[in-house]
Amino acid sequence: MSKLIAITGGIGSGKSIVSKILIANGYTVYDCDYEAKRIMDIDTNIHSLLTQHIHSEAVKDGIIDRKLIASIVFIDNLKLEKLNSIVHQAVRDDIRKCLNRNTSCNIMFVETAILYQSNIDLMVDEVWTVTAPRDIRIKRVMRRNNCSWEDVDARINAQDNYTPLRVHPRVKEIINDDLIPVLPQVIRLLEAATMS
């Protein structure tokens, strides 16, 4: 079975840059955001759980009403926790399936902004945390999403205020501050990961 390494970091830190480097070098990178949406759209068991636990109209004609779900879970913490548990479990199961299929490489990567909240930290052998100064992160997200400094600053505050109950024992840092090149850092970590 492949070694599983998480790529994590806050919004605007540059996780996707690291993922693109790895993909260009032939590695499999499981993108949790993308895959969670895909799984939610196609998994009828999830549809059933959403209508049972979130709202009876959460799924109409096989299509998830994301606006309705968002309007509910952002005012009801219990329903938000339930939604997260449904989706996180499905993603963890899918990562296991992908890991079992991934026999061509000895390392597989998983990109996630919510490593600890999703309990994916319990599945991985190592964590690569991508970091960048706050002002650089804000400017990147403003450019990418065409939003205000205040909006991005609020999102970063919400993300950065989370404190995990535990920290993975094998955490490596990748600095993505527009000064230190990222590629040599990734190559160094890859070399170490393949030898351990």
Side-chain angles (χ1 to χ4, degrees), residues 8 42 79 108 131 134 139:
T8 194
I42 65 169
K79 291 205 175 185
M108 185 180 120
T131 63
R134 186 185 188 93
K139 288 174 188 172

Side-chain angles (χ1 to χ4, degrees), residues 115-130:
L115 175 70
Y116 295 103
Q117 300 94 316
S118 61
N119 288 326
I120 291 172
D121 64 301
L122 302 174
M123 301 175 65
V124 300
D125 302 292
E126 190 170 300
V127 175
W128 295 2
T129 302
V130 186

